Amino acid sequence: MYRTIGILVTIVFLLSILLAFVALTVSRISLNRHVWLAGFFAGILDFFYMPLKYFFYKFSDPRILDKWMVSLKNISNRNDFRKTQKRMIIAPHCMRSMDCPASSTKTGIQCISCGKCIFSKLKEDAEKYGYDLYIVTGSSFVKHVLKEKNYDAALLIACDYELNKVMMGLKGKKIVTYGIPMLNDGCFNTEVEYGNVLDTLKMLSN
């Protein structure tokens, strides 16, 4: 009996490794072209996220894993996002000007459209495409944002790690997400390719 259990455990373990490897391969391919069953493979990577993160930390760069996972989730969520009505943009405060005059509240920085940074333009385009804009100083602010209104979609701008982290968190709240990675990481002077933001807004519009 114990031998049978041992064989079954070994088989499950090997199948898990194989499934995770296939999911990683698909996520890597998703960077360059559309892939089938993106949602299925994204779920597998979510399930094995911690051991995979440790593996990438030891032998590669953990940011690569987050980048691949975000790409996979974007493909999986794209069509569902287009069907949503109540949308928000969540962006990091690190993209704002160093001498930003805006004040901060429990839902983030309140942009006053001073023209000193990208957020003046982003605020304008968010309104044009029917989004509420939230400029947050950390992913913990998202829970306060969700108390403001009942949203069914969130367009996220952040580094790959934060994108993947928030995507995981909002998945359980039935909010469809789509992520736009920034050009660089850091706590200040970060940037996003604004042409990419505009292309994404147009692509996701109804």
Side-chain angles (χ1 to χ4, degrees), residues 67-160:
K67 182 181 183 66
W68 292 359
M69 291 178 69
V70 169
S71 175
L72 201 60
K73 291 173 183 179
N74 280 347
I75 293 175
S76 173
N77 295 345
R78 186 179 301 152
N79 289 334
D80 288 336
F81 198 106
R82 291 190 179 114
K83 300 174 185 177
T84 61
Q85 299 296 323
K86 299 178 181 178
R87 303 174 178 180
M88 60 178 166
I89 295 176
I90 298 179
H93 77 107
C94 53
M95 293 197 304
R96 63 177 173 154
S97 169
M98 291 294 289
D99 58 345
C100 174
S103 60
S104 178
T105 68
K106 65 180 180 180
T107 57
I109 307 299
Q110 303 302 302
C111 178
I112 59 174
S113 301
C114 67
K116 292 185 177 182
C117 69
I118 194 175
F119 284 119
S120 295
K121 177 62 175 172
L122 182 57
K123 182 180 179 182
E124 178 182 326
D125 287 322
E127 294 174 355
K128 175 182 177 181
Y129 286 94
Y131 292 77
D132 292 332
L133 173 62
Y134 293 93
I135 306 167
V136 300
T137 57
S139 56
S140 61
F141 274 69
V142 177
K143 65 181 179 180
H144 298 298
V145 170
L146 295 179
K147 294 178 181 179
E148 291 290 299
K149 293 183 182 179
N150 293 319
Y151 294 100
D152 55 7
L155 180 60
L156 312 171
I157 302 174
C159 63
D160 289 306

